[in-house]
Amino acid sequence: MSFSLPKSRLSSDFVLLIWGGLFLVSRVPFIFSGSGYGLDPDAYYVLLSAQKILATGRYFMSRPPGYPLFEIICALLSPGGPVATTGMTALISLLSLFPFMGIMKLLSVKNQGWLLFTFCFAPILWITSTCTMDYQWALFFVMMAYYFFLDRKYLRGAFFLGIAVGFRITSGLMILPLSLQFLFQEKSIRKFIIPFFLFGLVSLLTYTPVFLSYGFSFWQYVPNNAPFYIWGYRTLSELLGFPALLFLILGIFAAIHNRAKGKSDPNALVLLLVIVSYTFLFLKLPAETAYLLPIIPFGLIFLDKILSRRFLILFCLFFVLNGIISIAVIDKRAYRRNGQIRLLACDYGTVIKNEIRKRRVYQNAQKLPILAEALPGGDNIAVVIGWYQPVFQFFNQNTLDEVNIDGRIPALKSRGRDLFYLESVTREDIRFLKARQFRLYYLDAAQGAMSMTGVDLSKYGQQIPGIDSYPVNY
């Protein structure tokens, strides 16, 4: 089977134009459907922060450790709604095809066509390119930095990596692989002082709004309390899918067997360092699969160097297919209901699941105040809504006030009634609320999140009926 980009410049540009067109066509429906801002609750924290920045001219962090360049850009774009904020994310994702192509050419990648196809339609890239989040912005500048280092334009590369830090601070980890790339190419690390200094300077400048507003208190670490079997399964099923994982493992074993005596490739070692660095960073806080986004383009190129063509093609096909249909997955709805572990032969793919759930969350955020206002018990009602908090606040901010219950528990208060919405509660918070005669209600989304901390909300309150946060096997 042959599927590689032609070598002529004209033909190569034409193929890139075709793939770029298909890329945009595949993204447009997701921008205009349901809530075009995406499913990730952090997107709504960004939007709330952007509104404050636009209204006051001062910087407000959406969440630690701050994403200053992205938050400021969103402030400028936010009046245009999701078409502007998510549309620009889709556009920057499209532009990422150019450094990706440039890197493949400089590294003499054999299967450029297959890798370009996979990069365009990899499920996690598809999802993050159709939401108001910073992942794709940071990835674009990281890839530009790597491209310029390969091309021995080190100052440009250092500059772009510093810009990437302003979008996502973990982009700075890329300085390790780039240092190794410099060493392999220049045979001396001393010459790296000036590019390293430029990277540090640009990084500090991009973070100036954070320093000025929050000092050095911006860095906060909240560990993930979910057990390994939960986040590990979720990550593998969302990122790769199990057929793709199987062919990846088989391909690596075959590569080890066939190339045990082969020479090492310095560029492959750099690519491997990128993969290892971001994998270890993810293991430190395995909260979102999208944290692994930087390993996708570099991982694909690394696999081109070590896998046989047959295994690479099979991996790419099943990797992309996982966005449309998932094969051999656990029925998480059954597990959530009664702890039963049951295997499904096939299910919706990750991209489709994300879209279905995104629309449902958007509908629920608008339906919640109607259901909450109809709750019995008069005043002093507390509703724990979990990760719905920023989504709910964004879509209902004209009827809500940010308050602290007795100066202790942050909440959103319905205007005209003592009806409070809380993101989460501790056992101490629950005792505090019960002592003040609060009636406690919760969403199923909050119950799932709180159970990870050992708090069973069903023991203290009632679940609000009519809202299903898990309309698919998510």
Side-chain angles (χ1 to χ4, degrees), residues 77 118 137 184 203 225 249 260 262 306 363 368 399 410 449 451:
L77 296 175
T118 307
W137 290 78
F184 283 147
S203 299
N225 294 315
I249 293 173
I306 66 169
Q363 294 167 358
L368 176 57
T399 61
S451 63

Side-chain angles (χ1 to χ4, degrees), residues 20-89:
L22 292 173
F23 181 99
L24 279 181
V25 169
S26 68
R27 268 57 173 184
V28 167
F30 295 88
I31 297 174
F32 289 93
S33 68
S35 170
Y37 296 112
L39 177 61
D40 195 326
D42 287 344
Y44 297 89
Y45 281 124
V46 170
L47 293 165
L48 292 168
S49 171
Q51 290 179 343
K52 293 179 182 178
I53 294 173
L54 190 64
T56 65
R58 295 172 50 215
Y59 173 75
F60 288 88
M61 184 193 306
S62 59
R63 73 270 188 217
Y67 306 79
L69 293 186
F70 184 67
E71 289 155 342
I72 292 170
I73 287 175
C74 283
L76 299 175
L77 296 175
S78 59
V83 175
T85 57
T86 304
M88 280 300 296
T89 301

Side-chain angles (χ1 to χ4, degrees), residues 32 50 67 77 127 168 170 183 193 212 217 234 274 310 438 464:
F32 289 93
Y67 306 79
L77 296 175
I127 291 170
R168 194 166 190 86
T170 52
L183 179 61
I193 293 176
L212 292 178
S217 64
R234 184 202 67 216
V274 176
R310 179 177 299 177
F438 272 85
I464 294 183

Side-chain angles (χ1 to χ4, degrees), residues 9 16 39 69 301 328 349 383 408 419 447 474:
R9 176 64 183 273
L16 186 58
L39 177 61
L69 293 186
I301 296 173
V383 183
R408 172 172 174 169
L419 170 62
Q447 167 71 336
Y474 202 91

Side-chain angles (χ1 to χ4, degrees), residues 82 133 219 242 254 387 417:
M133 283 295 291
W219 189 263
F242 288 95
W387 48 260
R417 185 183 179 188

Side-chain angles (χ1 to χ4, degrees), residues 319-351:
F319 182 28
V320 171
L321 182 64
N322 191 51
I324 308 301
I325 181 172
S326 297
I327 300 173
V329 294
I330 292 175
D331 185 349
K332 288 190 283 188
R333 303 185 77 177
Y335 179 78
R336 191 177 291 113
R337 285 194 301 268
N338 51 32
Q340 178 186 7
I341 297 179
R342 185 161 63 96
L343 195 66
L344 299 175
C346 61
D347 195 8
Y348 289 122
T350 54
V351 175

